[in-house]
């Protein structure tokens, strides 16, 4: 029998996909079959229900994708080409869910002889190569550095000055044997000379009366003119 003559019946197993509730799946199924959720309610009784019959391989794959997206867990039953022409009411229907089993998620529901075969692709990889850090050449060994000669070194005493500074010259102490201290409160400026007080002769001077002009006439400021009489003037509101 030619694998292209194989037909499939589509069944809803009565189970829903993980995370999908009944109301959502019922609405999605009604939208898919252009019906109403109320008319689809009878399919959600927990028992397998046949949704489509006599599907080709391509049609079965399309329904599988669409119903899985709707949240339904579906299964297919393959029929011979002759059985595909049998009236739908005469085809055997599972009596109960005990005749069915669920394949693991991602399983291929088609038999080996029903799967489309594709020619394996041959890729030329002769120009490719793999590199590995384990294949890299080992680094050349380097000679160990020479140990420095520390025989001329010594450890200074704790707190020693490690700077190489010249010695400071000795401080000369001045001779203070000829110096004495004056008693407390003594005047330390004995060379200050006394100034003779000056008593000027003011017998020829006299005080001018109050208000007198004590400056020469040419050095005096001119007397300012008197302020003009403005008693007869008044302001007008006219612009």
């Amino acid at each position: 029998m030619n694998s292209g003559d194989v037909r499939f019946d589509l069944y809803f197993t009565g189970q829903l996909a993980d995370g999908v509730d009944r109301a959502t799946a019922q609405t999605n199924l009604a939208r898919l079959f252009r019906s109403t959720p109320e008319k689809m309610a009878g399919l959600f009784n927990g028992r397998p229900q046949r949704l489509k019959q006599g599907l080709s391989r391509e049609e079965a794959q399309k329904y599988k994708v669409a119903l899985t997206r709707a949240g339904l867990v579906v299964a297919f039953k393959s029929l011979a080409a002759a059985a595909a022409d049998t009236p739908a009411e005469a085809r055997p229907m599972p009596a109960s869910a005990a005749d069915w089993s669920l394949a693991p998620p991602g399983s291929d529901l088609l038999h080996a002889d029903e799967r489309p075969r594709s020619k394996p692709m041959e890729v030329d990889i002769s120009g490719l190569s793999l590199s590995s850090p384990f294949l890299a050449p080992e680094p050349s060994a380097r000679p160990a550095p020479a140990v420095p000669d520390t025989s001329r070194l010594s450890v200074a005493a704790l707190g020693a000055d490690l700077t190489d500074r010249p010695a400071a010259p000795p401080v000369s102490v001045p001779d203070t044997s000829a110096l004495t201290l004056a008693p407390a409160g003594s005047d330390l400026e004995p060379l200050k000379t006394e100034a003779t007080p000056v008593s000027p002769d003011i017998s020829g001077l006299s005080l001018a009366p109050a208000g007198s002009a004590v400056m020469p006439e040419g050095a005096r400021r001119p007397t300012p003119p008197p302020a003009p009489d403005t008693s007869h003037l008044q302001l007008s509101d006219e612009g």
Side-chain angles (χ1 to χ4, degrees):
M1 181 178 59
N2 190 348
S3 59
D5 298 334
V6 178
R7 294 287 173 168
F8 302 90
D9 285 354
L10 167 64
Y11 290 91
F12 169 40
T13 63
Q15 304 296 322
L16 300 178
D18 295 338
V20 180
D21 57 79
R22 176 176 176 177
T24 301
Q26 188 171 319
T27 302
N28 294 341
L29 187 62
R31 186 183 300 111
L32 182 62
F33 287 100
R34 298 181 181 180
S35 182
T36 60
E38 291 76 17
K39 293 182 179 180
M40 297 290 104
L43 298 175
F44 294 85
N45 54 14
R47 297 191 301 271
Q49 303 286 339
R50 182 168 57 185
L51 301 180
K52 288 289 183 178
Q53 60 185 15
L55 298 175
S56 64
R57 188 189 311 276
E58 291 75 11
E59 292 172 338
Q61 291 289 354
K62 292 180 180 180
Y63 274 107
K64 177 183 177 181
V65 174
L67 292 173
T68 301
R69 291 178 178 175
L72 278 66
V73 177
V74 297
F76 295 90
K77 184 175 182 180
S78 62
L79 304 175
D85 298 331
T86 306
E89 59 273 10
R91 296 181 185 178
M93 180 71 183
S96 64
D99 298 332
W100 295 84
S101 62
L102 297 179
S107 300
D108 195 340
L109 301 180
L110 301 178
H111 297 289
D113 59 343
E114 299 171 347
R115 301 171 188 169
R117 297 182 180 181
S118 59
K119 183 179 180 181
M121 181 180 297
E122 296 181 359
V123 180
D124 182 14
I125 59 174
S126 59
L128 303 179
S129 62
L130 297 178
S131 61
S132 171
F134 299 101
L135 300 179
E138 296 183 0
S140 59
R142 296 182 180 178
V147 180
D149 181 15
T150 60
S151 58
R152 62 184 182 85
L153 300 180
S154 61
V155 179
L158 181 63
D161 191 353
L162 300 181
T163 58
D164 187 10
R165 294 179 294 184
V171 180
S172 59
V173 180
D175 182 12
T176 60
S177 59
L179 300 180
T180 58
L181 294 178
S186 300
D187 190 352
L188 300 182
E189 295 184 4
L191 300 180
K192 182 173 62 174
T193 58
E194 295 291 340
T196 304
V198 178
S199 298
D201 183 11
I202 58 173
S203 58
L205 301 178
S206 61
L207 296 177
S212 301
V214 296
M215 298 181 64
E217 184 176 356
R220 302 174 188 173
R221 294 180 179 179
T223 304
D229 182 15
T230 59
S231 59
H232 64 285
L233 301 178
Q234 62 179 358
L235 298 176
S236 175
D237 295 336
E238 297 181 357

